[in-house]
Amino acid sequence: MQFDLVNPTRIVFGSGKIARLDDLVPASARVLLFYGGGSIKRNGVYDQVTQALGTRIVAEFGGIEVNPHYETILEACDVVRRNDIGLILSVGGGSVADAAKFLASAAMITGADPWDELMAGRYPEKILPVGVVLTLPATGSESNAVSVISHQGRRIKYPFANEAARPRFAILDPDTLVSLDRRQRANGAVDAVTHVLEQYLTVPANTPVQYGYSESLLEVLFEWGPKFVQDNSAEARENVMWAANQALNGLIGAGVRQDWSTHYIGHAITALYDIDHARSLTLIMGSVQRFRLAAKTAMLARYGRRVWKIEEADDTIAAGLAIKRTEAFFREMGCPTRLSEVEGVAFSADDIVAHLERAGQTRLGENEDIGPAEVRKILELAA
Ligand code: NZQ
Ligand code: ZN
């Protein structure tokens, strides 16, 4: 086992914790209050944030879209420079946090196209610090280094990773989740499940801590995800919010081989057909697993037995049952598992493969053996 785990994000978790911004944000900081389409103004989070920031100098930038657009972040770069911003405060879900982390680097780049620079891995030496007030549990973006950004002009959705952009702090107040609608609650819990599975369902390794914790997170998400959707109780909000954070903060993935092929194919599907991130994953994940059954049998069987309590001695049969149970969970959460279930969309394997090629994602999976031809087969299985 080998890894280099850096996670400097300070997590402040619990009801009423937005007030803690007063001690987390330096009194002299010039803050950019950064948010999405306005949910924070309707549910009282905006008021709590501005109250906690008190007399600090605050500029605002709202209007970050779901699946945030590069073009909008470029507008925010101007606001950062004009106001000499010293800290970006993301208030919202994963889209706003992703955009904030990308902005932290992009605003530092002048005289070149930030997208091209960052896609080439040329990150500025110094970038702005980011803090997060999270209002949707799903992505783990509040604790990780990744920004998934959509370039509208080039029709590509791409994950950028910059360690320096990992948020300095994140406030996770489960009360902020009261206003989430049913669809967003389902999407959030399902997305977190896929994050665990893509780090866990690869090949056996001597990483019992990571695998055991992955199983605990899955058990929590399978128990509390449906309750979060159905009654949105205080307990469900707490458990899903914490589990979703832990699912993608780097811990369970440390030192383990990972398979993000479902996410990469899903990003292409969202970019091309405007399908919610979580649903783009449930459409594909079972088919990736069926297609890679031979390579993943050992971990799928372990998962089936430990998490779903499947009593089946034969590994291949146990693995197949585990895939079915996962897909049944996605359907229970109201998410589609076959492309044909999505009405009014004509999926094109050519377009999806072309997106993956534009993004340089042509060697997917833990063995880097899922290329364009294999993606086509996965899409056939998902039909
Ligand atoms: O924009 P506003 O008005 O805030 O409304 C949002 C948005 O419409 C709304 N919402 C958020 N909190 C709310 C609320 N509505 C009522 N009450 C609240 N408390 O929910 C909608 C969806 O928000 P969004 O931020 O887009 O959702 P999510 O957190 O699921 O983020 C999805 C984005 O994250 C990326 C996805 O690709 C997608 O672009 N991902 C980022 C990852 C990362 N950084 O590691 C990994 C993920 O796999 C994922 O790819
Ligand atoms: Zn995801």
Side-chain angles (χ1 to χ4, degrees):
M1 181 170 20
Q2 292 186 17
F3 57 81
D4 180 344
L5 180 65
V6 187
N7 197 336
T9 304
R10 175 172 178 178
I11 304 286
V12 177
F13 190 99
S15 177
K17 296 295 185 194
I18 292 175
R20 287 285 304 280
L21 280 173
D22 192 28
D23 64 82
L24 293 166
V25 177
S28 59
R30 297 173 68 92
V31 179
L32 181 68
L33 201 174
F34 195 62
Y35 58 95
S39 69
I40 66 164
K41 295 213 166 159
R42 294 187 291 276
N43 63 11
V45 170
Y46 175 90
D47 292 338
Q48 289 183 61
V49 167
T50 49
Q51 198 184 341
L53 289 174
T55 56
R56 288 171 183 78
I57 296 170
V58 178
E60 286 187 23
F61 190 92
I64 293 299
E65 308 83 2
V66 172
N67 309 307
H69 298 178
Y70 173 61
E71 290 80 356
T72 309
I73 299 171
L74 284 182
E75 290 172 28
C77 287
D78 289 338
V79 177
V80 165
R81 294 185 199 120
R82 269 205 315 275
N83 292 280
D84 193 17
I85 291 300
L87 180 137
I88 303 168
L89 182 63
S90 160
V91 185
S95 291
V96 181
D98 280 11
K101 292 188 289 182
F102 187 92
L103 172 63
S105 298
M108 300 290 116
I109 299 172
T110 48
D113 181 42
W115 180 278
D116 290 337
E117 292 299 296
L118 300 181
M119 201 159 165
R122 289 190 291 271
Y123 285 93
E125 257 175 49
K126 202 177 162 305
I127 72 169
L128 289 171
V130 173
V132 174
V133 175
L134 187 70
T135 65
L136 198 170
T139 61
S141 180
E142 69 279 8
S143 285
N144 70 39
V146 176
S147 291
V148 188
I149 307 299
S150 297
H151 193 307
Q152 295 304 100
R154 297 186 195 171
R155 241 183 147 200
I156 178 171
K157 184 172 188 201
Y158 189 78
F160 296 83
N162 181 9
E163 193 49 57
R166 207 185 275 263
R168 303 290 168 92
F169 65 83
I171 299 178
L172 277 59
D173 178 345
D175 294 349
T176 62
L177 314 184
V178 170
S179 54
L180 279 171
D181 66 26
R182 212 179 155 91
R183 185 181 180 104
Q184 294 303 342
R185 299 201 296 275
N187 283 352
V190 158
D191 190 26
V193 165
T194 68
H195 295 158
V196 180
L197 291 178
E198 292 209 283
Q199 295 167 89
Y200 166 69
L201 286 180
T202 59
V203 287
N206 182 33
T207 49
V209 172
Q210 291 87 326
Y211 289 163
Y213 196 30
S214 296
E215 287 153 6
S216 297
L217 292 172
L218 289 167
E219 282 169 0
V220 170
L221 290 164
F222 289 145
E223 178 181 353
W224 289 95
K227 294 179 188 171
F228 181 48
V229 176
Q230 280 146 26
D231 56 24
N232 198 6
S233 66
E235 291 84 356
R237 290 195 294 272
E238 285 190 348
N239 295 340
V240 172
M241 196 172 211
W242 186 223
N245 173 272
Q246 298 289 292
L248 200 48
N249 70 349
L251 186 56
I252 61 168
V256 306
R257 277 159 76 182
Q258 306 180 10
D259 171 8
W260 289 96
S261 47
T262 297
H263 263 72
Y264 290 143
I265 300 170
H267 288 163
I269 288 177
T270 297
L272 296 168
Y273 309 109
D274 200 22
I275 288 173
D276 294 1
H277 171 62
R279 285 152 190 266
S280 76
L281 307 172
T282 59
L283 284 170
I284 294 299
M285 179 162 262
S287 297
V288 169
Q289 292 170 357
R290 272 191 299 279
F291 182 67
R292 302 301 293 147
L293 181 62
K296 291 181 187 292
T297 296
M299 288 306 292
L300 275 165
R302 172 183 165 138
Y303 159 62
R305 293 187 184 116
R306 294 192 183 213
V307 178
W308 290 114
K309 316 294 179 214
I310 290 170
E311 291 181 17
E312 166 56 56
D314 182 273
D315 277 1
T316 306
I317 298 176
L321 290 171
I323 296 171
K324 285 203 173 114
R325 294 299 292 269
T326 312
E327 288 198 318
F329 170 78
F330 292 154
R331 285 194 296 274
E332 182 191 340
M333 298 291 275
C335 295
T337 56
R338 293 293 180 275
L339 299 171
S340 53
E341 291 167 40
V342 184
E343 280 171 25
V345 177
F347 292 95
S348 152
D350 287 343
D351 290 346
I352 293 170
V353 165
H355 183 284
L356 292 167
E357 285 172 340
R358 281 202 298 283
Q361 295 158 345
T362 52
R363 292 163 64 86
L364 306 180
E366 67 270 25
N367 297 319
E368 300 188 349
D369 56 0
I370 299 180
E374 289 74 22
V375 169
R376 287 175 192 277
K377 288 185 188 142
I378 290 166
L379 292 169
E380 277 170 27
L381 287 177

